[in-house]
Amino acid sequence: MNKNILWTLVWMAVTAWGHSEETKSTAVQPTVATTPAAVMTAQPAAAAQRMETATPAPATAGAQASAGPWFLSVAGGIDVPAQNWIPAYSLGGGGQVAAGYRLSEEWAVELDLDDFYFSGSGITTGAVSDYESRVLPTARYSFRTGSDIRPYVLAGLGIDLQFLSGPAGGALATSFAMAAGLGVEWEMDPRMFLFAEGKWDLLAADGPNHTTVTGQDMPALAGVRWGL
């Protein structure tokens, strides 16, 4: 009887130990990601990543400084008489101011005011001078080059006023003016351009006996253009 009780107790102990080992092997072990400390650490990191993704990149300074369509320009240069000018004039000095509007990346229109001063002395004319003011509505076409330096062509029609002075007194001569030219501009930044250009000007005025008197000159200018 005592032996049976002893074997029963042994069998129960072995069965209990085996059941305990099986429970340990099948229990799910918590991973690092599911522990409370790991969750608390992962949440701020995820929130920071979402904020970084949602925050837009700041606009560049170049985009903020882009110019509008209106512009002003100032230039200085010389004017070389070419045909039917008083021989006492060899070279004139002056400049140009202009205001314009850019229609597109290629096309622009502007109102040019050219002013040049000529003076000299001849055997037949004596000391003479000529203050010339030319008003030219002008169209300009710039070629796309993919760089900051772009060539352009221009053409304009307007009026030329010459205030003449000599030994016999002063006079005003008015002529029709037509201009065509070539130039190049350098974009220093979106609001500022440096440019240089040369033009050929044709002047036409009424002469005696219903004739037309023509003259030609070639101004060369260099200056700066500001976008507004």
Side-chain angles (χ1 to χ4, degrees):
M1 181 66 178
N2 291 333
K3 290 182 179 181
N4 292 334
I5 294 174
L6 179 62
W7 282 109
T8 301
L9 293 175
V10 171
W11 179 81
M12 291 177 63
V14 171
T15 303
W17 178 83
H19 179 72
S20 174
E21 291 298 322
E22 182 180 357
T23 304
K24 289 181 180 180
S25 63
T26 58
V28 178
Q29 299 296 326
T31 63
V32 175
T34 58
T35 61
V39 173
M40 293 178 64
T41 304
Q43 286 178 349
Q49 184 176 5
R50 288 195 298 269
M51 291 178 62
E52 181 179 354
T53 304
T55 304
T60 61
Q64 294 175 353
S66 59
W70 294 97
F71 62 86
L72 296 174
S73 66
V74 178
I78 59 174
D79 192 359
V80 181
Q83 183 182 22
N84 290 338
W85 283 70
I86 297 176
Y89 304 147
S90 59
L91 194 67
Q96 178 193 88
V97 294
Y101 186 86
R102 190 177 295 275
L103 301 172
S104 65
E105 186 175 348
E106 296 88 2
W107 285 101
V109 292
E110 59 188 57
L111 181 63
D112 297 348
L113 176 60
D114 297 354
D115 290 298
F116 291 96
Y117 179 76
F118 301 85
S119 64
S121 180
I123 298 176
T124 59
T125 60
V128 292
S129 65
D130 178 4
Y131 176 78
E132 181 183 29
S133 183
R134 190 170 298 165
V135 181
L136 284 172
T138 301
R140 177 163 47 87
Y141 180 85
S142 301
F143 296 93
R144 292 189 181 187
T145 60
S147 70
D148 295 336
I149 299 177
R150 301 189 302 175
Y152 62 85
V153 294
L154 59 87
L157 297 174
I159 188 171
D160 180 89
L161 304 174
Q162 297 187 28
F163 301 89
L164 308 172
S165 179
L172 171 62
T174 303
S175 305
F176 171 78
M178 180 177 65
L182 300 172
V184 61
E185 64 181 5
W186 173 32
E187 182 180 353
M188 299 185 65
D189 63 52
R191 291 181 177 272
M192 181 177 292
F193 296 80
L194 295 181
F195 70 92
E197 64 185 36
K199 294 192 288 187
W200 168 79
D201 292 328
L202 173 65
L203 308 179
D206 293 334
N209 300 321
H210 303 287
T211 60
T212 299
V213 179
T214 60
Q216 299 179 31
D217 62 296
M218 294 179 293
L221 298 161
V224 60
R225 185 179 297 117
W226 295 278
L228 303 181

